[in-house]
Amino acid sequence: MRLAKNSAWAPLAARVFRALWIAQLVSNTGTWMQTVGAQWLLVGHSAALVTLVQTASSLPVVLLALPSGVLADRYDRRKVLLAAQFAMLAVATVLTVLAFRDALAPGLLLVLTFLLGCGTALMGPAWQAIQPELVERGQLGQAAALGAVNMNLARAVGPALGGAVVAAAGAGWVFAFNALSYLGIAAVLLLWRRPATPRPTVRGEGLLAAVQAGRRYVWHAPGVRRVLLRTALFIPGGAALWSLLPLVASRSLGLGSGGYGLLLGVVGAGAVGGAFALPAIRRGLGANGILAAGAAVFAATLVVLATVRLPWLAAAALLPAGVAWIGVLSTLNAAVQQRLPGWVRGRGLAIYLVVFQGGQALTAPVWGALADGLGLTTSLLIGSGLLAAGALSVRRWPLHGTDGIDPSPSDHWPAPPLVFEPGPADGPVLVSVAYRIAPENWSAFTDRMRHVARSRRRIGALTWGLYQDGGDPCRFIENYLVASWSEHLAQHHSRLTATDRRFETRARELLVEGSAPEVTHAFDTVAGPVAAAGEQAGRPERSSRPG
């Protein structure tokens, strides 16, 4: 399949991406059919109970995304995805059997929906993390958009089909289709011969330490943090649409399950159409323009849903909402993908998914409670106000540009020339780097070292400091502490990126001509490996060795 590289559909030229995309479309269709079936079984109950379907689907992401991100970074992502598919197949089968036996009480339905959400949480980081393996880095934006197209194509077909099936034959049949839909992705993954890729991990690193490493990276990556902020400002208001649309369909518009499915289908159709227009929209508005316009369109849609009682007018308002949804989601997804290096990609994407899906999970019951307490119209208008405020905030907190960001690995640090071999768990390790800087460059050097400081902290430094020698003012000493020797070796060989190298190079351009940085490594465990080193070298023990 030949497609122009700048085409919105270019990633489909990659065979494995194309096969997974098709299988995912079938699976997503089943998921939307399952969602409509579950929500419609609860429509006769309170608004809060209906919105809990979304919470049960999304809350597992809040609870499990970070551990799932660690699994995606530590183990073969293909195997993690297979485990998730078979787990969801088992849960969906149980749900189907109970539905056919008419044994699905609301509480049990929500529990099984929660378990399906656990499978989605396990799958999410690994699925997102394999995308750079399937397409070129320059096509990640198109791949993210195609992922959103996939979801919205399924939204265009699945709810309408699910609503029709529920009306004609009962919810059991939509649950059965959803169970079978997991087999397609499993088949593609089983046939995919994924190239062996090293899983860079720190020896002896526990789950909590691995999660902390991911959190530390994101905290010290301003570009990633800004993506998370923009996500957090959009999702609460955006979730009002998905949480309250079943109530709009049944209470405001007087529609049945089929009509509700058609409304969701209109949103999906708008998103699919938006995918065709997205490259041109991106060229015209840029990433931040898309975020502002998308939030404004969503805000206007909620106002229409709050005030009209004509199904065709509500459907007309939902069409541009689909365009806005795919524009915002693909922009945020591509922005975070482009900034994360391979060693922490699973955990970084897990944090993004916590904000994105967790925001929906936490706000869905709030919207239900507001609809019960203040009324549906007021709740929709509150959501519109939040989205309008989010649109205005783009000017104050825009996404950072990606110029100069290159997360590809860079193994450019030389091996430390120690006189002994430390154990993997030895540490903490104090790394010191001394620089000679001429007086006229002191200010510029300290300014450039701020970027180096973030780099060191992203890749594992627990503390960092830059000091000026009181006896020799032209000598600056950079100190940073790493938890263990194993973690420091991971910094050397798998965590550094081309961006980190660029920051180091810019700082070292200001060195006094002819000088070079002097690096030393000092170990905290004096009684252990350092003592042995002293015996091996035939000289007294020392707590510091030149590196």
Side-chain angles (χ1 to χ4, degrees):
M1 177 181 285
R2 290 188 176 182
L3 292 166
K5 283 197 172 184
N6 60 352
S7 164
W9 310 98
L12 291 175
R15 182 178 59 84
V16 177
F17 180 90
R18 183 171 65 251
L20 283 172
W21 191 89
I22 294 170
Q24 186 191 27
L25 178 60
V26 176
S27 182
N28 284 338
T29 301
T31 299
W32 276 107
M33 292 174 67
Q34 135 85 26
T35 300
V36 169
Q39 287 182 322
W40 211 254
L41 284 177
L42 299 174
V43 160
H45 300 272
S46 69
L49 195 59
V50 175
T51 58
L52 281 177
V53 172
Q54 184 173 351
T55 299
S57 300
S58 302
L59 184 59
V61 175
V62 179
L63 304 176
L64 299 177
L66 283 171
S68 298
V70 173
L71 293 176
D73 285 333
R74 283 191 170 185
Y75 301 105
D76 187 330
R77 289 164 181 161
R78 171 179 162 274
K79 293 180 180 178
V80 172
L81 290 170
L82 279 169
Q85 295 304 306
F86 287 121
M88 288 188 287
L89 172 61
V91 174
T93 300
V94 172
L95 183 60
T96 302
V97 171
L98 291 174
F100 279 124
R101 292 185 176 182
D102 200 22
L104 264 181
L108 185 56
L109 174 60
L110 291 173
V111 168
L112 291 172
T113 302
F114 177 84
L115 292 177
L116 285 174
C118 291
T120 302
L122 175 62
M123 177 182 173
W127 183 271
Q128 296 281 353
I130 66 170
Q131 301 306 306
E133 301 177 34
L134 305 178
V135 301
E136 300 173 7
R137 183 171 183 266
Q139 294 180 350
L140 284 174
Q142 293 112 301
L146 283 173
V149 166
N150 192 301
M151 176 61 74
N152 286 284
L153 269 174
R155 182 183 282 125
V157 176
L161 183 59
V165 172
V166 169
W173 288 103
V174 299
F175 297 153
F177 181 89
N178 184 47
L180 293 174
S181 71
Y182 295 117
L183 295 175
I185 293 179
V188 176
L189 291 170
L190 287 169
L191 293 172
W192 178 26
R193 296 293 175 258
R194 181 174 182 246
T197 54
R199 298 259 61 85
T201 59
V202 178
R203 290 176 60 182
E205 183 182 49
L207 175 64
L208 292 179
V211 169
Q212 175 67 2
R215 185 210 62 80
R216 184 168 54 235
Y217 184 93
V218 168
W219 182 253
H220 294 289
V224 178
R225 286 208 319 271
R226 184 56 57 86
V227 175
L228 298 180
L229 174 62
R230 295 290 355 144
T231 304
L233 290 172
F234 177 76
I235 286 302
L241 176 66
W242 309 118
S243 301
L244 300 177
L245 191 58
L247 303 176
V248 171
S250 62
R251 298 182 183 180
S252 299
L253 305 177
L255 300 175
S257 61
Y260 168 54
L262 287 173
L263 290 179
L264 285 175
V266 171
V267 182
V272 174
F276 287 96
L278 197 54
I281 295 173
R282 188 177 289 115
R283 286 192 297 270
L285 296 180
N288 289 301
I290 288 175
L291 295 181
V297 169
F298 239 67
T301 300
L302 291 184
V303 171
V304 173
L305 294 179
T307 56
V308 306
R309 298 296 178 264
L310 299 174
W312 68 267
L313 192 54
L318 289 171
L319 196 65
V323 179
W325 184 257
I326 194 174
V328 172
L329 261 63
S330 61
T331 298
L332 294 172
N333 193 291
V336 74
Q337 287 270 14
Q338 290 169 346
R339 288 169 167 81
L340 291 171
W343 72 271
V344 75
R345 186 178 296 129
R347 282 164 281 183
L349 287 166
I351 294 172
Y352 166 71
L353 290 173
V354 166
V355 176
F356 179 77
Q357 294 191 11
Q360 295 184 72
L362 296 176
T363 56
V366 174
W367 292 121
L370 286 175
D372 280 336
L374 301 179
L376 187 56
T377 297
T378 302
S379 301
L380 289 167
L381 292 176
I382 291 173
S384 177
L386 290 176
L387 287 163
L392 293 174
S393 73
V394 172
R395 186 176 181 85
R396 175 66 179 85
W397 297 302
L399 291 179
H400 298 318
T402 56
D403 292 342
I405 300 297
D406 184 357
S408 58
S410 178
D411 189 0
H412 62 275
W413 283 0
L418 304 182
V419 298
F420 67 94
E421 184 62 35
D426 289 340
V429 182
L430 178 65
V431 182
S432 298
V433 188
Y435 308 88
R436 297 205 65 80
I437 307 296
E440 62 270 18
N441 291 326
W442 288 353
S443 178
F445 177 73
T446 55
D447 185 62
R448 295 184 184 186
M449 287 297 288
R450 291 190 179 93
H451 294 287
V452 175
R454 291 198 199 98
S455 167
R456 304 288 197 243
R457 292 181 184 276
R458 280 196 297 269
I459 63 174
L462 302 176
T463 62
W464 184 92
L466 181 66
Y467 307 89
Q468 190 171 20
D469 191 331
D472 183 359
C474 289
R475 185 170 180 262
F476 286 77
I477 304 100
E478 174 196 8
N479 286 336
Y480 61 94
L481 192 68
V482 185
S484 69
W485 183 243
S486 176
E487 182 140 8
H488 184 54
L489 290 181
Q491 292 178 319
H492 269 263
H493 302 303
S494 62
R495 294 186 177 180
L496 285 167
T497 68
T499 301
D500 299 320
R501 183 171 190 168
R502 182 172 64 86
F503 290 146
E504 288 181 8
T505 300
R506 290 192 71 245
R508 295 183 182 193
E509 287 172 350
L510 301 177
L511 286 168
V512 170
E513 187 174 355
S515 69
E518 300 173 4
V519 184
T520 61
H521 300 79
F523 293 82
D524 185 68
T525 52
V526 177
V530 180
E535 296 167 4
Q536 293 168 11
R539 56 175 177 254
E541 302 165 10
R542 297 190 300 172
S543 62
S544 179
R545 296 285 188 264

